[in-house]
Amino acid sequence: MDVRPNPDPGRAAPEHSGAYLATALSLAVYSGVLTAWTVYGIRQGDGNAWDFLEGMFNPGASLTTQVLGPHEWAFTVACLVIAGLALAQRRVARSAALLSGFVLLAVSLREGLGLLDAAYRDQYRHDPLGGWALATRGLGLVVALVVLLAMFPATERRRGVHPSAPGAADDPEAWWRRSSRICGVLFLLMGLARIGWAVRDLTGVGTGHYLRAVVDGSVLGTLDLAAPTEFTTVGSVLALFVLGVLALPGRREVRGALLVFAALELYMTVRMVVWLTVTDFFNRSFETPGGALSLATTAYALAAMTSVVVLAGGRGFGPYGGMRTEGFRTAAVGRNGGL
């Protein structure tokens, strides 16, 4: 039990240090494997590392043949960041780690369903990299289970924060409730917009095929570690709605997940903006209603996800939403005339 007068409210309780350490190591190992696949793709392609770095933000610039896609690149960075926060025992890492665990579990279950198809299993046997790809999928499942089983019980109440008077300007609780509700509304509106575009896509491919591509890894007929558009679209809609609903009551526990997912969405949106710029889409966007609506959706996504990153970052507050140490020191001086 932490008996310091003002323990760091952003640090996990000592009894949860093992769970945070296991999470950090698991996510670090998995991100290392994804990085290895990325390096392999660069070496096998026609370009070099600089082409790859440019291609991370400009979809039409990279000459490399990549095994992974932009969602996997962003997820790799996210796992490294979460692993670092978990290694530092920061409580904000908990919800972010749970989010990554659910993502890995969904990917593993989708691949498991695909392996029920005999032809798809044969591809793993005959492809030179099939064994490595299958091992990566298996590792993802193990990491997902470790993270979820370790982090779910690691709940704790806030410590070391002296409550301010209700409605006070320096009340961290009131500030986070307002910010969290704004984040929740922004996420829910973004989710509704994604549903609208998903329904539009269904008219071209058929509902059955689209939904099967979401849950069955064998639909595409090829071995590919990069997630298809159907899976990432439905996954993002579910995450937006779940996190949005959890954020509306002002739950502190969801802060890390809000921050990480908004950052991932912001990266994908920036990448889309670059693509629209190099293809001169902006000058032609208002020629059709669909183009204007697409531009409006992209602009909203850019503004909304940037806002969530800023709000969830909580510039004036500690890493878990509590006032920083300087705030406590100032308050103590004001009450007692000295430390």
Side-chain angles (χ1 to χ4, degrees):
M1 182 176 182
D2 197 338
V3 296
R4 291 174 296 171
N6 290 316
D8 185 354
R11 189 173 178 82
E15 59 266 26
H16 299 316
S17 61
Y20 279 76
L21 180 59
T23 296
L25 294 177
S26 299
L27 292 179
V29 169
Y30 189 73
S31 60
V33 171
L34 293 184
T35 301
W37 278 110
T38 302
V39 173
Y40 173 81
I42 295 174
R43 297 186 62 180
Q44 294 297 117
D46 298 326
N48 53 37
W50 291 111
D51 294 321
F52 168 75
L53 291 175
E54 184 180 1
M56 288 184 67
F57 293 94
N58 182 3
S62 178
L63 300 176
T64 59
T65 302
Q66 282 297 317
V67 180
L68 306 179
H71 287 91
E72 288 73 28
W73 302 335
F75 188 68
T76 301
V77 176
C79 285
L80 285 173
V81 172
I82 298 169
L85 291 172
L87 188 62
Q89 303 287 303
R90 308 313 295 176
R91 295 172 68 182
V92 72
R94 180 175 179 267
S95 61
L98 289 174
L99 175 64
S100 66
F102 279 118
V103 170
L104 287 175
L105 183 61
V107 171
S108 300
L109 292 177
R110 179 179 181 272
E111 192 66 17
L113 185 60
L115 288 173
L116 297 178
D117 184 86
Y120 190 61
R121 292 197 303 272
D122 287 339
Q123 291 188 49
Y124 273 108
R125 284 195 290 265
H126 298 131
D127 193 293
L129 296 176
W132 291 107
L134 188 60
T136 302
R137 297 299 193 188
L139 177 64
L141 178 59
V142 172
V143 170
L145 294 177
V146 169
V147 170
L148 294 177
L149 293 176
M151 280 305 200
F152 258 122
T155 58
E156 50 193 314
R157 293 185 297 178
R158 291 174 62 222
R159 299 166 285 114
V161 176
H162 302 290
S164 303
D170 61 345
D171 180 11
E173 289 290 344
W175 178 87
W176 173 246
R177 282 195 297 269
R178 289 191 297 269
S179 300
S180 182
R181 287 166 185 158
I182 293 173
C183 292
V185 171
L186 293 175
F187 265 43
L188 292 176
L189 291 177
M190 190 70 244
L192 290 174
R194 289 279 172 81
I195 287 179
W197 286 107
V199 171
R200 178 177 177 270
D201 293 338
L202 286 176
T203 59
V205 300
T207 304
H209 183 273
Y210 188 97
L211 294 179
R212 190 182 169 203
V214 173
V215 299
D216 188 350
S218 66
V219 171
L220 297 179
T222 58
L223 284 184
D224 198 350
L225 290 175
T229 302
E230 295 86 353
F231 178 81
T232 57
T233 299
V234 173
S236 67
V237 168
L238 289 176
L240 287 168
F241 274 102
V242 172
L243 295 178
V245 170
L246 291 176
L248 287 178
R251 297 172 61 96
R252 287 184 178 276
E253 295 81 2
V254 78
R255 185 183 180 203
L258 286 173
L259 183 58
V260 168
F261 189 77
L264 295 177
E265 287 289 310
L266 182 59
Y267 163 70
M268 297 304 300
T269 304
V270 169
R271 199 168 186 269
M272 176 60 69
V273 169
V274 173
W275 175 246
L276 296 179
T277 302
V278 299
T279 57
D280 201 31
F281 177 82
F282 289 117
N283 293 331
R284 298 178 285 104
S285 59
F286 292 101
E287 295 178 359
T288 63
L293 188 58
S294 175
L295 182 61
T297 304
T298 303
Y300 173 78
L302 188 63
M305 296 304 106
T306 302
S307 299
V308 173
V309 169
V310 172
L311 290 172
R315 181 176 291 185
F317 298 83
Y320 199 66
M323 292 177 63
R324 294 189 186 275
T325 306
E326 292 81 2
F328 289 124
R329 186 176 296 115
T330 302
V333 172
R335 287 194 303 269
N336 306 320
L339 291 176

